[in-house]
Amino acid sequence: MSTVADFPTVDLHTGVQQFLNKGALKHLIGGQWVPAASGETFPVHNPADGSALADVARGNAEDIDRAVAAARHAFDEGPWPRMSGRERGRIIYRLGDLIEQHLEEFAQLESLDNGKPLTVARAADVPLTVEHFRYYAGWADKLEGETIPVAPPYAAGARYLNYTLREPVGVVGQIIPWNFPLLMAAWKLGAALTTGCCVVLKPAEQTPLSALRLAELAQEAGFPDGVLNVVTGFGEAGAALANHGLVDKVAFTGSTEVGHEIVKASAGNLKRVTLELGGKSPNVVFQDADLEEAARGAFNAIFFNHGQCCCAGSRLFVEGRAYDEVVERIADMSKSIKLGPGMSADTQMGPMVSKEQQQRVNSYIDAGAQAGAEPRGGSSLPGGNYDNGYFVQPTVFTSVDPGMSIVREEIFGPVVCAMPFDDIEQVAAQANDTEYGLAAGIWTKDIAKAHRLADAIHAGTVWINCYNMFDAASPFGGYKSSGYGREMGHHALDNYTQTKSVWVQM
Ligand code: NAP
Ligand code: MG
């Protein structure tokens, strides 16, 4: 590990060392660790300094085909959908326990692979993952149907018993992004596994490591072969999964652009689709709010995970005379953010996940400045050993115009556009003036106003006097181009079950 005086990094966990020293990492297909059919691999980089972490199998359509066949076999012939829910739940719960026992190892892998601060991965990504599996383990034996009173008008006098069964949809393809690699895997897997589905998971090319380690622990937890398959690779592997005729459902999190591709690909066999796409979430501060708390909240809303959150509060609206104070506070706070490698306990903000993402975010910052917006804030880049890291300056834009690309498009980086507003009707219209509808924040002491605006905003999640709150029990997902279907809560179970109505003449 590279260490410079400014950034003492933690010692690499022995489990992480062993994992990274295995040689090229393989796919898990049908319970076997196998190289890509083509024999190809690709390198995975540490975004803090650009160094190579590991080589990973590069899956293509042939690997997806094998993985789908394994999942199909496990679903059609294997024990998983046939065992009692309680037994399935025990195995899923065990996976949660195992991840918790390996918390430090997962936190380090996540920090190395994605760039996020180790402190954040330890406190958020890994514990949320553990809780997520436990929550869904609890649902496995509670997937009840209904009995429905029926009386068809053309069958007067006859009696029927009508009941419903909730059955798993079958083989599921899950395609996930790089911003919360482990947690996004958990969000997808929890509901799918508890209902009895069998899965082919395709992690993002930038961050495949924690999903592979998770798959090792899934074997240890006792999942039967073929229930969870992991194929690493690029978009070609994702596309093969989305197109596959033997896949019954695809769940996708990522860009709206690829979301469109997924929907088109699903048409072949009319597979079910759920999408969790981008956002351009409004965060609204009224002048009666506790401005210090609101400013801190708005700061975290955009800068948490370096702005690489689908629900990032990237459009900040501040009422009237509070505008200058709130913007000043956020710009000041952003100047003191310590940028550095995730593996240092001192680091508050790590690098972007990839050079591509760094360039993408910087090009938005340039475009905003060129269009006449005023960039504020910013802190110093770490430099030294981290000159090749994919760091970006946290930026607060003022003097923005609603038509600018920085206001309209998802940047997925530490960039916020601050805009003033005068009253609730105006801000409701501004907040909804976007193709997206994933989340929103509201800061005020006026309860009625908070609820009125929560009602008016077209978004799947609204946080009042808080932001970025998540719990496995609470549904999350988008309105409009932010996607459809909900993750988490009992709502996510609907994505992975289908209803059978059974009639019995009495
Ligand atoms: P992306 O292309 O949408 O990638 C998400 C996942 O889809 C990855 O696993 C990706 O594989 C896979 N994929 C790519 N092309 C595919 C295709 N044609 N069919 C099926 N799967 C495909 O996102 P990105 O390129 O990593 O990031 C670009 C932008 O997307 C970001 O700047 C951000 O605006 C947005 N984004 C949103 C979220 C979110 O949480 N909503 C998350 C990530 C990114 P590979 O990565 O391996 O190619
Ligand atoms: Mg892409």
Side-chain angles (χ1 to χ4, degrees), residues 42 175-180 184 202-206 232-243 252-259 261-262 265 276-279 308-311 353 356-357 360-361 364 410-413 436 438 482:
F42 64 99
I175 302 168
I176 55 171
W178 42 257
N179 52 344
F180 295 88
M184 290 302 100
K202 209 297 277 178
E205 76 202 40
Q206 297 86 348
T232 49
F234 296 94
E236 58 187 340
L241 192 52
N243 275 290
F252 171 77
T253 298
S255 62
T256 298
E257 187 191 345
V258 174
E261 295 302 317
I262 302 278
E276 207 261 89
L277 307 176
Q308 300 171 133
C309 292
C310 46
C311 53
V353 74
E356 189 189 6
Q357 193 62 13
R360 192 183 137 89
V361 175
Y364 273 108
E410 181 177 52
I411 299 175
F412 226 64
Y436 295 112
L438 194 57
S482 290

Side-chain angles (χ1 to χ4, degrees), residues 34 36 44 55 62 71-72 76 100 122 124 146 167 175 196:
V34 294
V44 176
D55 287 323
E62 199 178 335
R72 196 73 261 171
D76 294 339
E100 188 173 57
R122 278 178 187 152
E146 307 158 290
E167 299 185 339
I175 302 168

Side-chain angles (χ1 to χ4, degrees), residues 22 30 76 103 108 146 152 190 204 211 248 250 267 338 354-355 399:
K22 276 176 189 247
D76 294 339
L103 189 147
Q108 290 196 12
E146 307 158 290
D248 301 299
V250 165
K338 185 145 187 189
S354 63
K355 188 149 204 72
S399 307

